[in-house]
Amino acid sequence: MKKRILLASSLLVIIFGSIGAIFWYQESQYLLPTPVPRNYHPVAIGQSITTEDQLLPYFQSGKPVFLHFFNPHCPCSRFNIEHFSSLVKTYGQQLTFIAVIQTEDDINASAHFEGKYDLHIPVVVDTNKQIAKAYGVYATPQAVLITKNNSIYYRGNYNKSRYCTNKNSNFAQMAIDSLLAGNHTPEFIELASKAYGCELPDSTQAISFINIFN
């Protein structure tokens, strides 16, 4: 009897230890910068970009454009959606916000995003990563702020905290305020421009284990 109890206890320790290790991995892997892809081609801040066909209709408003690169399977994207929503509500009259969905396995990703978050903004699915490549994005979540002249004003993280709880490092919001005030692109610390989060998905990637618990 004692042996059975000991065996059962050992199995429980192994099971909970394994689950804990998985969650630890999920947490720790996002503490480091996202690896830069081998074939990455840098796109400079201030560079004028030819608008991709998918986005072209939304660049006709005469407003600056804010691209929100989002991966529905990326925990970091989900962590910051509340902060992004607050930006849409605050600046929605002054900017054109566009959600650029990064996914390889969800043909209804656009409808899913619209239905779940109800932000009333344009949503495009960037399945071939052409939009991400055009703006030098290789991780999610990332923000790209574009001037009326189609040049990149800001590209980088929303905040140095994944949960966007540090108001003193709301980099994307600071960039918006600077652009609307007519200022030159502000100089941020490296944490603003060095991408943190999830690598862009590809057709071989499986849905993250953490999604099982959502």
Side-chain angles (χ1 to χ4, degrees), residues 27-48:
E27 288 292 309
S28 63
Q29 66 176 313
Y30 302 118
L31 296 177
L32 298 175
T34 307
V36 180
R38 291 182 180 180
N39 61 347
Y40 176 68
H41 297 289
V43 180
I45 300 299
Q47 182 171 329
S48 183

Side-chain angles (χ1 to χ4, degrees), residues 4-155:
R4 290 181 180 178
I5 294 174
L6 182 61
L7 179 60
S9 299
S10 299
L11 287 174
L12 286 175
V13 169
I14 293 172
I15 291 171
F16 284 108
S18 298
I19 293 174
I22 290 171
F23 277 102
W24 175 85
Y25 172 75
Q26 288 288 342
E27 288 292 309
S28 63
Q29 66 176 313
Y30 302 118
L31 296 177
L32 298 175
T34 307
V36 180
R38 291 182 180 180
N39 61 347
Y40 176 68
H41 297 289
V43 180
I45 300 299
Q47 182 171 329
S48 183
I49 304 297
T50 300
T51 306
E52 294 290 320
D53 290 343
Q54 284 178 280
L55 300 178
L56 193 57
Y58 309 117
F59 275 70
Q60 310 301 319
S61 65
K63 302 177 183 178
V65 173
F66 188 106
L67 301 180
H68 172 59
F69 286 83
F70 177 89
N71 177 356
H73 303 318
C74 172
C76 299
S77 281
R78 297 195 297 272
F79 292 153
N80 103 309
I81 193 66
E82 184 176 348
H83 177 65
F84 173 68
S85 299
S86 72
L87 295 181
V88 174
K89 293 175 182 177
T90 302
Y91 301 98
Q93 299 300 316
Q94 299 161 284
L95 304 176
T96 297
F97 285 88
I98 306 172
V100 184
I101 310 300
Q102 304 295 308
T103 183
E104 291 287 346
D105 60 2
D106 187 355
I107 59 174
N108 297 314
S110 176
H112 290 164
F113 184 92
E114 292 173 348
K116 185 171 184 177
Y117 299 115
D118 193 31
L119 295 176
H120 305 288
I121 63 173
V123 181
V124 298
V125 180
D126 186 26
T127 52
N128 59 5
K129 305 183 185 70
Q130 288 302 113
I131 299 175
K133 291 176 182 177
Y135 291 96
V137 171
Y138 59 89
T140 56
Q142 285 283 282
V144 177
L145 182 58
I146 305 158
T147 69
K148 297 177 183 179
N149 297 323
N150 282 9
S151 64
I152 299 177
Y153 186 84
Y154 174 78
R155 179 191 58 244

Side-chain angles (χ1 to χ4, degrees), residues 32-37 40-46 135-145 152-161 169-175 185-198:
L32 298 175
T34 307
V36 180
Y40 176 68
H41 297 289
V43 180
I45 300 299
Y135 291 96
V137 171
Y138 59 89
T140 56
Q142 285 283 282
V144 177
L145 182 58
I152 299 177
Y153 186 84
Y154 174 78
R155 179 191 58 244
N157 302 311
Y158 284 84
N159 194 288
K160 70 178 183 180
S161 166
S169 64
N170 280 346
F171 305 121
Q173 185 170 8
M174 293 175 185
T185 303
E187 292 186 7
F188 292 115
I189 60 176
E190 190 177 25
L191 280 173
S193 57
K194 181 174 287 188
Y196 284 77
C198 305

Side-chain angles (χ1 to χ4, degrees), residues 172-184:
Q173 185 170 8
M174 293 175 185
I176 292 174
D177 288 336
S178 178
L179 175 61
L180 294 178
N183 298 327
H184 292 294

